[in-house]
Amino acid sequence: MSASRWLADRWVVGVALLVLGYLLLPVVVVAALSLNRPASRLSYDFQEFTLDNWRNPCASVEMCDAVVRSVQIGFLATVAATVLGTLMAFALARHRFRGRSTVDVLVFLPMATPELVMGTSLLALFVSAGVPQGFWTVVIAHVMFCLSFVVVTVKARLAGMDRRLEEAAMDLYASEWQTFRRVTLPLALPGIVAAALLAFSLSFDDFIVTNFNAGTTVTFPMYVWGAAQRGIPPQVNVVGTAMFAVALLLVLASTVRTRSVRALFR
């Protein structure tokens, strides 16, 4: 086989690997810096290998408090957005009703709206309603912009499901609840899990909307933004690496479960 033919057959794979490497390069840098002992807090050069950052991730108490607060907000926003978004996705995917197309358009609006506009709009809403900015206003704001992503993700999963499996279960005298619990939910679960992971990532990572509505509440992204002016502690890289590792493990577990479910229904 000539070199040109070999390249023509594999150029797509090569481009995909280059793009994947481009996407993972920042993660690799963060992971490497989590094992670094910098010369100063303002230095980002790799000086010396150390595990001290991992042994003592809470060297900065303020940072750990901000991480815990972001996890709490992310958990509450994820649970609320996943429950509401899943119910909404089932309604849009499985039922026809007046105004359905309008609802579909409205679902996409928060995704298309710039975060700056959404943050200022929510701030104006809370101020005009006399609601003090703080922990719960951040949770409400995060549920609002996470909801659209959950609906779109779960709806895409439902659109790809084979309805004949549910019909077969009903033909075998399964009740509607049994069909949902044993057939529909296992098939839709990967999409629901993916939507929940996406919602948590968006909530944990958000800065713009949070900055407008947090009041005195400090989340992890806000802490990093403030610490950048006086030097970011290396433990920040530990948190970033740990979050990526946890997300990767959850995605792998969801993939394995999806394959097992598909093998079960073959």
Side-chain angles (χ1 to χ4, degrees):
M1 182 183 294
S2 63
S4 59
R5 177 66 180 275
W6 188 87
L7 290 175
D9 292 340
R10 292 168 176 80
W11 72 271
V12 175
V13 177
V15 171
L17 291 175
L18 287 175
V19 173
L20 186 62
Y22 172 77
L23 293 175
L24 292 179
L25 182 60
V27 179
V28 174
V29 172
V30 169
L33 291 177
S34 70
L35 301 171
N36 178 41
R37 179 182 284 118
S40 67
R41 298 189 69 170
L42 295 175
S43 174
Y44 296 96
D45 297 328
F46 196 90
Q47 295 290 121
E48 180 183 356
F49 177 84
T50 181
L51 293 175
D52 291 343
N53 301 327
W54 285 89
R55 293 193 187 102
N56 188 18
C58 287
S60 173
V61 179
E62 294 178 353
M63 187 200 73
C64 278
D65 291 341
V67 171
V68 171
R69 198 169 295 112
S70 287
V71 171
Q72 292 172 341
I73 293 172
F75 175 78
L76 294 173
T78 298
V79 171
T82 302
V83 172
L84 296 175
T86 300
L87 295 174
M88 194 170 181
F90 268 94
L92 291 172
R94 296 296 180 86
H95 301 281
R96 297 187 179 276
F97 52 90
R98 182 177 299 177
R100 179 186 175 196
S101 58
T102 304
V103 174
D104 273 329
V105 173
L106 293 176
V107 165
F108 279 97
L109 281 181
M111 300 173 62
T113 303
E115 284 193 289
L116 184 64
V117 175
M118 182 176 292
T120 54
S121 300
L122 286 170
L123 175 62
L125 174 65
F126 291 136
V127 170
S128 61
V131 179
Q133 283 74 52
F135 181 90
W136 290 108
T137 54
V138 175
V139 172
I140 294 171
H142 285 199
V143 171
M144 178 171 290
F145 68 74
C146 288
L147 189 60
S148 296
F149 291 93
V150 173
V151 173
V152 171
T153 305
V154 177
K155 186 182 174 185
R157 176 61 181 171
L158 294 175
M161 286 172 51
D162 190 352
R163 293 292 300 273
R164 291 176 297 179
L165 296 173
E166 298 169 281
E167 294 172 358
M170 298 288 286
D171 289 340
L172 294 173
Y173 303 104
S175 64
E176 291 185 359
W177 168 245
Q178 288 174 327
T179 302
F180 176 79
R181 185 168 60 90
R182 294 182 179 274
V183 179
T184 308
L185 186 59
L187 290 174
L189 190 60
I192 297 173
V193 172
L197 290 175
L198 179 60
F200 184 83
S201 299
L202 292 170
S203 175
F204 187 87
D205 188 54
D206 183 75
F207 172 77
I208 298 177
V209 175
T210 304
N211 192 41
F212 278 104
N213 300 280
T216 58
T217 302
V218 179
T219 61
F220 181 63
M222 295 178 65
Y223 171 84
V224 174
W225 176 75
Q229 303 175 17
R230 57 184 184 275
I232 299 177
Q235 284 77 11
V236 168
N237 301 309
V238 174
V239 175
T241 305
M243 292 295 297
F244 177 80
V246 170
L248 182 61
L249 290 175
L250 291 175
V251 170
L252 291 176
S254 177
T255 302
V256 171
R257 179 178 174 80
T258 302
R259 290 182 178 179
S260 63
V261 171
R262 286 179 178 175
L264 182 65
F265 284 100
R266 284 177 181 175

